[in-house]
Amino acid sequence: MSSTYHNYINGEWVSSKTNETYASLNPANQDVLGYFQKSNEVDVGQAIQAAEDAFPSWANTAAPKRGDVLFTLIQLLEAQQEELATIITKEVGKSFREANGEVRKTIEAMKQFSGEATRMTGETVPSHEPGIFGYTIREPLGVVGVIAPYNFPLGIGIWKIAPAIIAGNTVIFKPASNTSLISIKIMELFEQAGVPAGVINMVTGPGGVIGNAIGSHEKIKAVSFTGSTQVGLALGKAVSERGAKMQAEMGGKNPSIVLEDANLDETVENLVISGFLDNGQRCTGTSRLIVLRSIADELTKKLVARAKKLKIADGFTENVDNGPVVDDGQLNTYLHYVKSAIAEGAILECGGKQLTEDGLEKGYFVAPTLFSGVTQEMTIFKEEIFGPVMAMTVVDTYEEALEVANDSEFGLSSTIYTNDLNKAFHFIRNIESGVTHVNIPSNYFENQYPFGGKKASSIGPREQGSTTLDFWTDYKTVYIRP
């Protein structure tokens, strides 16, 4: 029988005021992994009160001492890596290899963040007036909200919470409902790392209810969100209208351009990594493939052949490439866009179906999918699918490829495959994306660099890297006449 888990408020595990629960399912076989609190606005209010009560003491704790919790957290993550990766594979569906990669990336991020507590620098600037000493300091905001997605539930949750608390804020954490079990572990990890009661609080439940309660509450000074553009823009409007700060990492329709001089074998491997692995459930994954006409047929053949070799099975299967997509909603989204693309005239080169043979019938398994003949008017060119689907558009020149790449409401990540340095640097200067690459998969990232997008892909300051604390702090300017 599956366990029932609770909200984490003021250092205690407590039931929701609704007395209702929901299940988190293993997408490979629909086994119930646990039951979680179906909370409401009252539970959010209770968490906010706990965070508000804890804020003065935590804000007045020396910043380097706040940073010490991350050094302990690194050791805990390393010691529990296999357990954490196992939970991620069971709950998200990704391969055990990819789940281990998520834990490893989280550890790398904490190594980067752990020093931020001693880098909360201000500045001193000479005054125009003799005898006046002026400088700036950074201060925490207060109670803040963190809303995390399902695709990297350990990594993104911790990547947001860690800098928020290092800056001296207290946190209300709302995880994705279909990754609630790994989020329980996040709370346990921070508690074991020595975070005091009330500094981090978690409330599980429906996104519309909990997210709206966090976004609209006057005591929430800032909200950091990762998820769909539609939800992020609506949440951002609610947060901004009451004068709070908003940070959002949202959708992407990321282009990869392939020029005539690209190494096609290496390019195909990179496209598999960015477009097909992890079932394309990455905001930075390649979903638009823009190819020069002279190499389109050869690239198509190589990519289809490689896609058909990918092993699709339960994430714990040896040498597996992809497990299932996260839930039936994502399965239906995938099937909807496949049907739409075919109806609009795109050519299905491979995939395009749910996989139900060889013991896969109980799960949400799908085939890596490539469409050719895609035009800029087609739905599959414009809308984010968040699945292992690439839409190929053929062009005649580099200039046309760049124009097509920029023809999107999104601007998160991009890649160009070429050995022409002039075109590579022209692309870097002119592509409308917050992250870009040359001869590297579009989903490649390192935590010591800022991360974020342009256009409808992001709101507010960048996450990670040198910009980590920008969103989580306010500046105070000080003038002193001794």
Side-chain angles (χ1 to χ4, degrees), residues 343-477:
E344 293 179 14
I347 300 168
L348 180 62
E349 298 286 353
C350 67
K353 61 182 179 179
Q354 181 180 3
L355 301 177
T356 57
E357 299 176 353
D358 301 322
L360 303 184
E361 66 278 356
K362 291 184 179 180
Y364 309 121
F365 297 91
V366 301
T369 301
L370 175 65
F371 280 99
S372 64
V374 176
T375 66
Q376 292 165 258
E377 294 75 30
M378 291 181 182
T379 304
I380 195 174
F381 180 91
K382 299 176 182 179
E383 298 184 9
E384 185 178 38
I385 302 172
F386 221 61
V389 181
M390 278 191 279
M392 180 187 289
T393 301
V394 174
V395 296
D396 292 307
T397 65
Y398 159 72
E399 290 75 17
E400 185 184 356
L402 178 63
E403 183 180 348
V404 170
N406 282 333
D407 183 20
S408 176
E409 65 176 309
F410 301 108
L412 184 53
S413 186
S414 60
T415 294
I416 189 168
Y417 293 98
T418 182
N419 287 310
D420 186 327
L421 279 178
N422 287 327
K423 288 178 180 175
F425 279 103
H426 183 275
F427 173 80
I428 291 168
R429 289 192 300 271
N430 291 281
I431 189 67
E432 296 168 359
S433 66
V435 182
T436 195
H437 312 75
V438 177
N439 298 326
I440 297 173
S442 64
N443 57 344
Y444 183 85
F445 76 100
E446 295 184 27
N447 297 99
Q448 67 269 33
Y449 300 100
F451 178 83
K454 298 178 182 293
K455 299 192 276 190
S457 288
S458 289
I459 299 173
R462 296 287 193 261
E463 296 185 279
Q464 305 185 50
S466 60
T467 60
T468 296
L469 296 175
D470 289 356
F471 178 69
W472 299 111
T473 56
D474 272 338
Y475 276 99
K476 177 179 285 182
T477 302

Side-chain angles (χ1 to χ4, degrees), residues 48 56 58 69 72 171 174 206 218 247 317 374-375 398 431 472:
I48 290 172
W58 185 244
V69 302
T72 305
V171 174
K174 194 288 183 207
E218 60 181 8
Q247 177 187 67
T317 305
V374 176
T375 66
Y398 159 72
I431 189 67
W472 299 111

Side-chain angles (χ1 to χ4, degrees), residues 159-180:
W159 298 343
K160 291 179 181 290
I161 293 171
I165 64 171
I166 291 303
N169 303 293
T170 53
V171 174
I172 312 301
F173 175 46
K174 194 288 183 207
S177 294
N178 46 14
T179 52
S180 299

Side-chain angles (χ1 to χ4, degrees), residues 5 22-27 33-36 84 87-94 102 147-157 173-187 202-205 226 281 325-327:
Y5 298 90
Y22 63 91
S24 179
L25 304 179
N26 183 332
L33 300 175
Y35 295 93
F36 302 86
L84 294 168
I87 295 173
I88 292 169
T89 294
K90 286 183 177 180
E91 198 164 36
V92 182
K94 65 177 66 178
E102 179 176 345
I147 302 176
Y150 70 79
N151 59 328
F152 287 90
L154 178 78
I156 294 178
F173 175 46
K174 194 288 183 207
S177 294
N178 46 14
T179 52
S180 299
L181 184 57
I182 191 63
S183 301
I184 295 288
K185 285 297 300 181
I186 291 175
M187 294 300 99
M202 182 182 74
V203 180
T204 62
T226 296
Q281 294 175 140
V325 295
V326 72
D327 57 22

